[in-house]
Amino acid sequence: MSSCDGNSRLSTPVESSQPVEPAECSHPSSTPNDNSSQPTPIPNEDSSNSNADNSKLKSEVWQHFVRKFEKGEWKATCNHCNKSLGAAPINGTSHLRTHLQRCPKLRNVDIKQKVLTNCFNKGEGKIKLNAYSFDQDIARRELSHMIIMHEYPLSMVKHVGFRRYWAALQPLFKMVSRNTIKNDIIKIYDYERVKTMKLVEKNQSRFAITTDMWTSSNQKRGFMVITAHFIDEAWKMQSRILRFVYVPCPHTKEVLLEVLLECMLDWNIDRKLSTVTLDNCSTNDAMALSLVDKWNSTYLMLQTAILYKEVFFRLRQRDNQYKTLPSEQEWDFAKEICGRLKLFYNVTELFSGTKYPTANLYFPKICEIRMALSHWCACSIDVIQQMAINMVAKFDKYWLVIHGIMGVAAVLDPRYKMDLLEFYFPKLYGDEYLEEVERVRQLCYDLLIEYQTRQKQSLDRGVEVGKEIKRSVNVKSELDHYLDEDVLPRTPDFDILSWWKSNGLKYPTLQAIAKDVLAILVSTVASESAFSTSGRLVSPHRSRLHPKTLEALMCAQNWLWAAEMQDNSTAESHGYATIYDDMDIDEPSCITTVIIKLETDELMLDVVVLMEYGCTNI
């Protein structure tokens, strides 16, 4: 309290920034010039808290209290339980520390200790030293992310073991229901969809679209996945699932086309397309080459069966019911088929890698397949010969559509340029190879003129005809200069995207072409990889999922993992880890497991049936 005694002074510091009225009780003999009897300033009761003055509140306890001047004295209000305590300077902070140790909302907290926490609140994705405080909304969001990214069932929030674990980890978390977590997932899908749309809109290069049609074996429903591939501003290959949409029967070409067009218009990419690669099915009229990667499992099965050929003979001796032992002729035939399927296996392994290959890698592999098919047509085994003839007819149909753009992609590889065309085309076309080489070369010049015109229209529209011709000659000279330079050393770790990123000033128009062409995919394996996940999603324990919920899970998983791998190199090495990837590190190899299980009749019959199917219907 302030005293009216002139020899007494109020020692409370002035914390208010507002004007202060003089005190009414002053000494009668005081004069304006008498400094000893000046009225004592009193802080405004409505003034803001003094925590903003860091020079006077240096103790770490003030991180948990708000200091205010109320009813003539200083008070400290706890941020956790809102209890008001004395905060006069003469009181110190010992009683505040004691309260923090007893605060019902803050148990066992050492206010001097800070922890390393992920900054989920700010969305920075960085780790820093920070005071941790529990947030229910953030915890719910991270739980939804976990379910999406790792394919946990939505019903896990009802599991007793999970609830006990979470209660032990964070007692303050209030567990949500299955419907609540589903609604949270839909909100995350909507939020990530807006972010992905902004990314697509910001991208200036063209998009290569791959699509595939797949029918769930559990629900007999058809789903269509549409994936966009592009090279971003940092010259990194990107892939985003745009739609995972339920398509009711019948799956005619008109129905599929309507779904595809609706997706392109919805994402506003209908005028930014480079290619559309469709699945190899009868309902698609225009499509690119799609390798039959279903043969991969047949190749691996045959390779394992041939390796453990003796097991079949032992099984015949131990089991009288086993009567489908392959003959030596059938074993020889299986070896012939396995050796030929190895080529397709290696190529599809390249095409379906985690980082999808750029278009320049397709050309030599496709040429190797065509050359192998030509040799198989002369095989002495009638089945293989007929198979090769049928494949050549189908190959040539697709080759006429895609060999030009794949040739351009090969030319844009500074390690080869025209060398690949001059090496493979004589083997594919014979004496007419020069015409095919010149056709690809002319396509390169046509693309230059097209990109030159597009750039010219965006810069100025009032260019005279003479200047246009002059610029066209200059752009052609850019390609000539590129082809005249020596090829680069053929190193396996060559990064073509980094090379074109750093040579944009030297070849600006070719750089723009490379950014669009190198993102083109000639196989739908990128879209089909999504269905390897969706097959688990629409498993019996998820058979009740609504198609919109399924689409939200599929698309959100793709978008969240893309962001995670971009910011975290360790996540990229682990990939799409799910609950189905559970295996002990010291577990025997799959081949050892197969040979052990070959003792059972069921797997043995499966292997033999598959081999017999390959002999007669491959």
Side-chain angles (χ1 to χ4, degrees):
M1 295 293 293
S2 176
S3 174
C4 293
D5 186 0
N7 297 326
S8 176
R9 305 282 181 92
L10 182 66
S11 60
T12 304
V14 179
E15 297 294 337
S16 174
S17 60
Q18 300 180 4
V20 179
E21 298 292 338
E24 295 182 358
C25 52
S26 58
H27 198 279
S29 63
S30 62
T31 63
N33 297 328
D34 187 3
N35 295 331
S36 63
S37 60
Q38 286 291 330
T40 304
I42 300 177
N44 193 330
E45 293 186 7
D46 296 330
S47 63
S48 59
N49 68 79
S50 62
N51 287 20
D53 192 353
N54 296 327
S55 63
K56 297 182 180 179
L57 300 178
K58 298 181 179 180
S59 176
E60 61 274 7
V61 298
W62 294 112
Q63 297 179 9
H64 302 268
F65 291 91
V66 175
R67 189 168 182 249
K68 293 183 179 180
F69 192 81
E70 299 177 350
K71 298 181 180 180
E73 53 184 345
W74 289 102
K75 294 291 185 180
T77 303
C78 178
N79 294 334
H80 308 284
C81 66
N82 295 326
K83 185 175 181 179
S84 182
L85 302 172
I90 59 176
N91 294 336
T93 58
S94 299
H95 66 297
L96 301 180
R97 296 176 183 272
T98 302
H99 170 76
L100 289 177
Q101 297 175 358
R102 301 175 181 177
C103 179
K105 299 288 186 178
L106 189 67
R107 297 289 187 180
N108 302 325
V109 174
D110 183 0
I111 60 174
K112 292 185 178 181
Q113 183 178 8
K114 297 182 179 181
V115 295
L116 283 173
T117 61
N118 288 316
C119 298
F120 298 121
N121 294 337
K122 300 180 180 180
E124 298 175 356
K126 299 179 181 179
I127 295 180
K128 62 169 64 173
L129 193 63
N130 195 11
Y132 171 76
S133 61
F134 172 72
D135 191 311
Q136 172 77 12
D137 295 334
I138 295 176
R140 280 177 53 178
R141 184 186 68 194
E142 294 303 321
L143 174 60
S144 300
H145 281 189
M146 180 185 71
I147 292 176
I148 294 172
M149 297 174 66
H150 303 289
E151 301 179 27
Y152 294 114
L154 274 65
S155 59
M156 72 177 299
V157 295
K158 299 189 300 183
H159 295 175
V160 175
F162 179 73
R163 284 177 171 265
R164 288 179 177 175
Y165 166 74
W166 199 281
L169 187 66
Q170 179 51 266
L172 297 179
F173 180 73
K174 183 179 179 181
M175 185 56 66
V176 296
S177 65
R178 182 185 183 279
N179 288 335
T180 301
I181 204 68
K182 185 183 75 171
N183 293 334
D184 290 346
I185 289 174
I186 297 299
K187 292 178 181 178
I188 291 175
Y189 163 75
D190 293 336
Y191 175 75
E192 294 295 331
R193 186 173 185 269
V194 172
K195 286 178 54 180
T196 307
M197 277 190 163
K198 292 181 179 179
L199 175 65
V200 170
E201 182 181 0
K202 182 181 178 181
N203 182 63
Q204 299 299 322
S205 60
R206 292 182 177 269
F207 294 90
I209 300 297
T210 58
T211 179
D212 188 36
M213 194 66 204
W214 178 81
T215 303
S216 169
S217 59
N218 294 327
Q219 297 182 336
K220 303 302 180 183
R221 291 182 175 180
F223 293 89
M224 184 177 185
V225 63
I226 303 172
T227 310
H229 311 270
F230 61 97
I231 298 175
D232 62 14
E233 296 300 324
W235 281 84
K236 299 293 183 181
M237 193 75 170
Q238 300 290 344
S239 176
R240 296 291 188 276
I241 293 180
L242 304 183
R243 289 297 306 273
F244 188 90
V245 57
Y246 165 65
V247 182
C249 293
H251 300 154
T252 62
K253 60 183 179 181
E254 291 81 10
V255 173
L256 300 183
L257 179 60
E258 182 180 356
V259 174
L260 183 59
L261 289 178
E262 181 183 354
C263 174
M264 293 179 181
L265 294 174
D266 187 28
W267 286 78
N268 196 26
I269 60 173
D270 54 304
R271 298 181 181 274
K272 301 172 64 176
L273 297 179
S274 59
T275 58
V276 178
T277 304
L278 306 177
D279 183 31
N280 181 14
C281 63
S282 58
T283 57
N284 296 325
D285 295 330
M287 62 193 71
L289 177 64
S290 180
L291 298 179
V292 189
D293 60 341
K294 283 76 175 178
W295 290 1
N296 288 358
S297 58
T298 305
Y299 164 73
L300 294 174
M301 178 273 301
L302 290 175
Q303 184 185 46
T304 304
I306 293 171
L307 181 63
Y308 297 102
K309 175 182 175 181
E310 296 299 326
V311 176
F312 292 84
F313 295 99
R314 294 186 180 183
L315 181 62
R316 174 67 179 274
Q317 296 174 356
R318 295 179 56 180
D319 190 352
N320 295 330
Q321 301 297 323
Y322 177 56
K323 302 183 182 299
T324 56
L325 179 66
S327 63
E328 288 295 330
Q329 183 180 2
E330 290 174 332
W331 280 112
D332 294 339
F333 179 75
K335 293 178 182 178
E336 291 283 345
I337 294 295
C338 187
R340 286 166 171 78
L341 291 183
K342 183 178 181 180
L343 173 62
F344 292 99
Y345 176 80
N346 293 335
V347 173
T348 52
E349 282 292 295
L350 171 66
F351 287 4
S352 60
T354 303
K355 290 184 177 179
Y356 302 119
T358 49
N360 62 299
L361 300 179
Y362 293 134
F363 183 80
K365 298 300 180 181
I366 299 299
C367 290
E368 290 177 10
I369 291 177
R370 182 61 179 84
M371 293 166 57
L373 291 177
S374 299
H375 291 114
W376 297 353
C377 290
C379 182
S380 58
I381 303 176
D382 295 338
V383 176
I384 295 179
Q385 184 183 42
Q386 187 60 42
M387 175 190 70
I389 293 174
N390 295 336
M391 293 179 66
V392 166
K394 197 170 188 179
F395 183 98
D396 291 342
K397 174 184 176 182
Y398 300 145
W399 178 254
L400 294 175
V401 179
I402 65 172
H403 82 285
I405 195 64
M406 284 200 304
V408 173
V411 173
L412 292 174
D413 191 334
R415 297 172 298 173
Y416 302 104
K417 299 182 179 180
M418 300 297 296
D419 292 353
L420 277 180
L421 276 66
E422 295 172 353
F423 174 78
Y424 284 111
F425 276 13
K427 300 180 180 181
L428 297 178
Y429 295 103
D431 297 336
E432 300 177 355
Y433 82 94
L434 290 177
E435 297 179 5
E436 297 297 330
V437 171
E438 187 60 29
R439 185 177 302 175
V440 175
R441 185 192 298 268
Q442 185 59 42
L443 180 57
C444 293
Y445 282 106
D446 293 341
L447 285 173
L448 279 169
I449 296 175
E450 178 183 345
Y451 277 73
Q452 173 207 14
T453 305
R454 185 191 310 168
Q455 294 174 353
K456 192 161 45 188
Q457 291 176 349
S458 62
L459 294 177
D460 57 20
R461 301 181 181 274
V463 184
E464 298 179 0
V465 178
K467 293 183 178 180
E468 290 182 4
I469 298 175
K470 183 177 180 180
R471 291 184 182 179
S472 299
V473 174
N474 290 336
V475 173
K476 288 184 178 181
S477 298
E478 180 183 323
L479 176 60
D480 294 335
H481 180 67
Y482 167 76
L483 295 176
D484 289 342
E485 287 190 349
D486 295 335
V487 296
L488 298 180
R490 300 177 183 178
T491 56
D493 57 345
F494 175 71
D495 189 347
I496 188 173
L497 297 182
S498 297
W499 190 88
W500 277 109
K501 178 183 178 181
S502 59
N503 285 270
L505 295 177
K506 190 175 184 180
Y507 308 112
T509 308
L510 288 178
Q511 185 195 51
I513 297 175
K515 195 172 186 180
D516 291 344
V517 172
L518 294 178
I520 295 175
L521 294 124
V522 297
S523 174
T524 62
V525 291
S527 296
E528 290 171 358
S529 64
F531 292 116
S532 64
T533 302
S534 65
R536 296 194 292 261
L537 284 174
V538 195
S539 56
H541 73 275
R542 283 193 167 181
S543 59
R544 294 177 296 174
L545 283 179
H546 191 276
K548 289 189 176 295
T549 305
L550 182 59
E551 180 176 9
L553 288 168
M554 285 300 307
C555 294
Q557 183 193 47
N558 176 263
W559 301 335
L560 290 176
W561 271 113
E564 188 73 20
M565 291 182 178
Q566 187 173 358
D567 300 334
N568 191 343
S569 58
T570 58
E572 185 175 357
S573 61
H574 292 296
Y576 284 66
T578 68
I579 58 175
Y580 301 94
D581 301 324
D582 194 11
M583 183 181 68
D584 292 334
I585 298 178
D586 57 348
E587 184 174 328
S589 66
C590 60
I591 294 181
T592 306
T593 305
V594 169
I595 188 59
I596 294 174
K597 292 183 178 180
L598 279 175
E599 297 294 335
T600 65
D601 293 346
E602 182 179 358
L603 185 57
M604 172 58 69
L605 292 175
D606 288 344
V607 173
V608 175
V609 167
L610 284 173
M611 290 185 63
E612 292 178 349
Y613 176 82
C615 294
T616 58
N617 298 287
I618 193 164

